[in-house]
Amino acid sequence: MAKNEFYWRRLHSLLGVIPVGLFLIFHLLANFTATRGEEAYNNFVAGMDKIPLLIVIEWIVIYIPILFHGLYGIYIAFTATPNNKRFSTFRNWMFLLQRITGVFLVIFIAWHIFQTRIQKALGAEVNFNMMEEIVANPWMLGFYIVGILAATLHLSNGLWAFCVSWGITQSPHSQKVFSWLSMIFFVIISIIGVSAILAFA
């Protein structure tokens, strides 16, 4: 692992954006159809279910990349050494938050999959009513809101780290500008995600 750590970290970084990051954006936008009502959301879900070989696509594009990104992310989280205790800068705190949200998201995503995809495999129908019943519990609604915000922050900050590690933003100025852009992106997709979950409440 240590010998090839550079390449593992690059793969972890890449999968966090493509396809995991792209899927998160798609998932939030898909759920946002709930703001237009139960029928709009159910029609969208029904359309998705008609995609050929959907389960194969889900495993290749979603589950396997998320599994690797999550498990390797836990390894990084518990082996990395944040220096926010010594240097209380914005980036150092974002470094720490990236690790905290990553560990939390492993738990949140596992629970979300259990409540939706696994229940579907057991015969339940994934529709507006399913999500409505899930978030009817105020504690579960709060859990989902925190999960959504953790995911959007993790992606937004991850995009900044991705651009730095892949040499896209090399100068301090470009990194500072992209910090602002990533935070604007965080606000936008957070509004979409929270609005979507509140539409079920």
Side-chain angles (χ1 to χ4, degrees):
M1 178 73 76
K3 183 179 180 181
N4 299 309
E5 186 168 0
F6 172 82
Y7 300 103
W8 286 119
R9 283 180 176 265
R10 281 299 177 94
L11 180 60
H12 173 265
S13 174
L14 180 62
L15 291 178
V17 177
I18 306 170
V20 176
L22 291 178
F23 169 71
L24 173 61
I25 296 171
F26 171 80
H27 192 49
L28 294 177
L29 290 173
N31 287 339
F32 191 71
T33 59
T35 61
R36 293 191 280 114
E38 180 176 350
E39 184 178 358
Y41 179 79
N42 288 342
N43 287 341
F44 181 86
V45 172
M48 290 295 299
D49 286 339
K50 294 178 181 178
I51 296 177
L53 301 174
L54 180 61
I55 188 64
V56 176
I57 296 173
E58 286 180 334
W59 273 99
I60 294 174
V61 179
I62 304 172
Y63 300 135
I64 293 176
I66 285 180
L67 189 62
F68 173 81
H69 187 79
L71 293 179
Y72 192 72
I74 290 178
Y75 165 77
I76 293 175
F78 287 101
T79 56
T81 306
N83 59 0
N84 54 287
K85 289 184 178 180
R86 184 177 177 186
F87 303 106
S88 297
T89 65
F90 173 74
R91 271 297 138 202
N92 289 330
W93 283 108
M94 293 303 289
F95 175 91
L96 180 60
L97 282 173
Q98 191 72 357
R99 272 73 192 156
I100 293 173
T101 56
V103 173
F104 174 77
L105 283 170
V106 171
I107 300 170
F108 173 72
I109 292 171
W111 182 252
H112 179 52
I113 290 175
F114 170 76
Q115 286 190 308
T116 55
R117 309 312 294 178
I118 292 180
Q119 298 308 310
K120 179 181 179 180
L122 294 175
E125 186 176 356
V126 178
N127 54 22
F128 190 96
N129 288 336
M130 169 185 274
M131 291 305 303
E132 187 176 40
E133 291 176 4
I134 289 174
V135 300
N137 183 327
W139 290 102
M140 192 55 61
L141 175 60
F143 180 63
Y144 266 77
I145 291 175
V146 173
I148 290 167
L149 293 177
T152 54
L153 178 62
H154 194 81
L155 174 59
S156 302
N157 190 48
L159 285 173
W160 182 89
F162 173 85
C163 288
V164 172
S165 62
W166 286 81
I168 299 172
T169 53
Q170 299 184 26
S171 69
H173 177 71
S174 63
Q175 292 174 14
K176 185 176 181 179
V177 170
F178 200 79
S179 285
W180 282 101
L181 292 176
S182 65
M183 288 301 99
I184 293 172
F185 176 70
F186 163 68
V187 171
I188 293 173
I189 60 175
S190 293
I191 291 173
I192 293 173
V194 173
S195 298
I197 198 66
L198 289 178
F200 297 109

